[in-house]
Amino acid sequence: MAQAPPRSLGRISEIAQVAVRHGFGYFFHRNKLTDLVGDDGQVVSDAPSERGRHLREMLDELGPTFVKFGQLLSMRPDVLPPDIIAELRGLQDDVTPFSYEEAAQVIEESLGQPVERLFLEFDPVPMAAASIGQVHGAVLPNGRRVAVKVQRPGAPRQIEADLNLMYQAARLAKERVRALDFIDARGLVDEFARAIRQELDYRLEARNAETFRKNFAGHPHVKVPRVYWSYTRPRVLTLEHIDGTQLADVDTLEYSLEDRRRLAEVLTDTWMTMIFRHGFFHGDPHPANILVLSPDNIGLVDFGLAGRLTDEDVSKATRLFIDVANENVEALPRRLADLGVRYPKEREEEYVVELRELFYRYYGATLEEIDPLQVVREVFGMIYRMNLRLPTRFV
C-alpha cells in the first residue's frame, strides 16, 4: 500500500491537532488514531449540542478550502446528522481580501494591459472577498458599471494541496474508522474536488451566467447580469453591475406584509422555473447571491455552481409532486427510488412507515400550523437515521 509523503502526514497530524484543540480528542481515542495526536490529546464529550459548533469552528480555523468543504457537507443530510448540518450552515466564505496590487497584477497578466488602461475607474477596495477570489467595482471605457471578479493569487496551488490532504484523510477514515463505513469518504472528496476545480476557471461561471441570462431573457421580475467576454479570462470575470440589496441585508420592517409576500412569491417562482422549466438552476442560493431590486424584482449573482436536470429528471420530480398533491403515499418510495434515492433493503418496511408518518404529520395542515425549519429538521433526521443515499445532483 502506498504511503502518504512525510510532508502530507505531517500536515495531517497538524490538522488532527487542530481537531483535538476544538474538542474532538474523543474521536481519535475511540478510533485508535492517537498516533496522529499523541496520547495526551484533549478528550471531551461528543454531545450533540456541542459537536456541530466545534466542527464549524475547526473548519474555520483550517482555512478557506475546508470552509467550502464544510459548506458542501451542510447540504448532505445523508452524511451528517441534523444538529451538525444546522451548525455548518453558519459557515461563511468570508476571508481577508488580498491587496489591490496583487489584484492588478492578476488582471494585467490575464488581459494583457494595466488596470489604468482597461478601466475608466477601478475601486481598489473589493466589494466582497471569498476563498477563491474577490469582486471589485469598475467602469468600462464606454461608461458601463461592471463587477470584476479576480482570482486569489496562488488559489489553484493551495486548493490542490488541501485536496491532497483531504484524500489522505479519506483514506485513513476508510482504513481505520469503522464507524464511518457508511460514508463514501473518497466519493465526498471527489464530489468536492470536481466542484471547486470548476470554480477555478471563471469562463465556466461566465457560460453559466450567459445561460441564466438567456433563460430569463424578457422575464419581468428576474435580472441576470451580462457577461463582458473581452474582459473575461480563466482568472478574471467581468459582469454587468447590478445595483441591489443582498437578500440577507433587506430590512423587512420597511416592507409591508403584501411586499414581503410578493418578494417571497418571486423568489419561489424563480427557483421553481429554473428546476421545472429550464432544468438548469443556481446551485448556491445563498442570501448574499440574491439581490433585491424591489419587492417585485430580484437579481442573481455568483454563478460558479449550477445544477442541471435532464428532461427525464424533471418528469420524475413532477410525478413525485403530483403523487404528494394527490395523497398517494404508497407511490412515494417508488417515486423517490426513480429519482435515485437508495436505502438499505433490509430496512424497507421501516422506511415506508417513516415516510408515511412524516407525510401525514403535515398533509392538509395550513402554513400557519407548520414550522418550516422543523419540517426540514425532521426530513434530515429521517435521511440520516435511515442511512439513505441521495443523488448528488438533487441534494
Side-chain angles (χ1 to χ4, degrees), residues 140-202:
L140 296 179
N142 61 9
R144 294 186 182 274
R145 294 177 64 206
V146 293
V148 183
K149 190 172 183 178
V150 186
Q151 191 171 106
R152 185 174 291 273
R157 183 174 63 253
Q158 182 60 54
I159 285 170
E160 289 302 325
D162 288 339
L163 287 175
N164 179 57
L165 292 170
M166 289 180 183
Y167 278 117
Q168 296 292 343
R171 180 181 62 80
L172 282 171
K174 180 176 177 58
E175 291 175 357
R176 301 173 62 180
V177 185
R178 296 281 68 84
L180 298 181
D181 279 348
F182 75 99
I183 296 174
D184 180 4
R186 170 77 188 217
L188 267 179
V189 179
D190 281 339
E191 177 188 339
F192 176 64
R194 281 194 300 272
I196 200 167
R197 283 168 178 157
Q198 286 179 348
E199 289 190 61
L200 287 171
D201 187 345
Y202 287 166

Side-chain angles (χ1 to χ4, degrees), residues 12 15-20 24-38 42 58:
I12 289 174
I15 292 172
Q17 294 285 354
V18 172
V20 169
F24 288 97
Y26 71 88
F27 177 84
F28 293 91
H29 281 258
R30 178 185 299 167
N31 294 288
K32 297 180 173 59
L33 294 169
T34 51
D35 55 309
L36 295 176
V37 297
Q42 180 187 3
M58 183 188 84

Side-chain angles (χ1 to χ4, degrees), residues 32-279:
K32 297 180 173 59
L33 294 169
T34 51
D35 55 309
L36 295 176
V37 297
D39 287 323
D40 58 344
Q42 180 187 3
V43 181
V44 301
S45 168
D46 57 342
S49 60
E50 293 295 319
R51 60 188 182 181
R53 179 177 61 83
H54 286 308
L55 180 59
R56 174 174 54 79
E57 292 171 349
M58 183 188 84
L59 293 172
D60 259 329
E61 181 174 338
L62 288 173
T65 309
F66 290 87
V67 167
K68 293 189 78 68
F69 187 60
Q71 291 170 339
L72 166 72
L73 291 176
S74 76
M75 297 185 290
R76 296 303 302 265
D78 54 331
V79 171
L80 294 176
D83 62 289
I84 294 181
I85 292 280
E87 279 289 345
L88 293 186
R89 292 197 164 184
L91 283 168
Q92 298 297 314
D93 198 9
D94 185 17
V95 298
T96 304
F98 51 93
S99 70
Y100 165 72
E101 289 73 22
E102 290 175 298
Q105 183 178 348
V106 171
I107 291 171
E108 183 170 351
E109 290 173 353
S110 297
L111 300 178
Q113 294 187 62
V115 169
E116 295 76 12
R117 297 184 64 179
L118 290 165
F119 303 97
L120 284 180
E121 299 176 18
F122 190 93
D123 190 345
V125 179
M127 294 186 286
S131 55
I132 293 179
Q134 63 191 34
V135 181
H136 293 260
V139 178
L140 296 179
N142 61 9
R144 294 186 182 274
R145 294 177 64 206
V146 293
V148 183
K149 190 172 183 178
V150 186
Q151 191 171 106
R152 185 174 291 273
R157 183 174 63 253
Q158 182 60 54
I159 285 170
E160 289 302 325
D162 288 339
L163 287 175
N164 179 57
L165 292 170
M166 289 180 183
Y167 278 117
Q168 296 292 343
R171 180 181 62 80
L172 282 171
K174 180 176 177 58
E175 291 175 357
R176 301 173 62 180
V177 185
R178 296 281 68 84
L180 298 181
D181 279 348
F182 75 99
I183 296 174
D184 180 4
R186 170 77 188 217
L188 267 179
V189 179
D190 281 339
E191 177 188 339
F192 176 64
R194 281 194 300 272
I196 200 167
R197 283 168 178 157
Q198 286 179 348
E199 289 190 61
L200 287 171
D201 187 345
Y202 287 166
R203 293 172 301 183
L204 175 61
E205 181 172 349
R207 289 194 289 273
N208 287 343
E210 278 214 329
T211 300
F212 283 116
R213 183 174 170 83
K214 176 183 175 183
N215 288 346
F216 283 102
H219 195 288
H221 304 296
V222 181
K223 183 173 180 59
V224 178
R226 171 187 171 187
V227 178
Y228 289 92
W229 281 104
S230 58
Y231 288 80
T232 294
R233 298 291 187 277
R235 300 171 66 203
V236 176
L237 170 64
T238 303
L239 299 174
E240 172 188 5
H241 175 78
I242 296 180
D243 194 11
T245 303
Q246 291 183 359
L247 184 62
D249 297 331
V250 168
D251 184 356
T252 55
L253 294 178
E254 296 180 0
Y255 282 33
S256 69
L257 179 60
E258 184 55 40
D259 284 342
R260 280 177 274 157
R261 180 182 291 115
R262 183 64 191 131
L263 177 58
E265 288 173 351
V266 169
L267 288 166
T268 305
D269 180 71
T270 299
W271 257 265
M272 296 294 273
T273 298
M274 289 183 204
I275 294 168
F276 288 101
R277 291 186 181 170
H278 303 158

Side-chain angles (χ1 to χ4, degrees), residues 4 211 234 316 322 329:
T211 300
K316 289 175 179 178
I322 290 172
V329 185

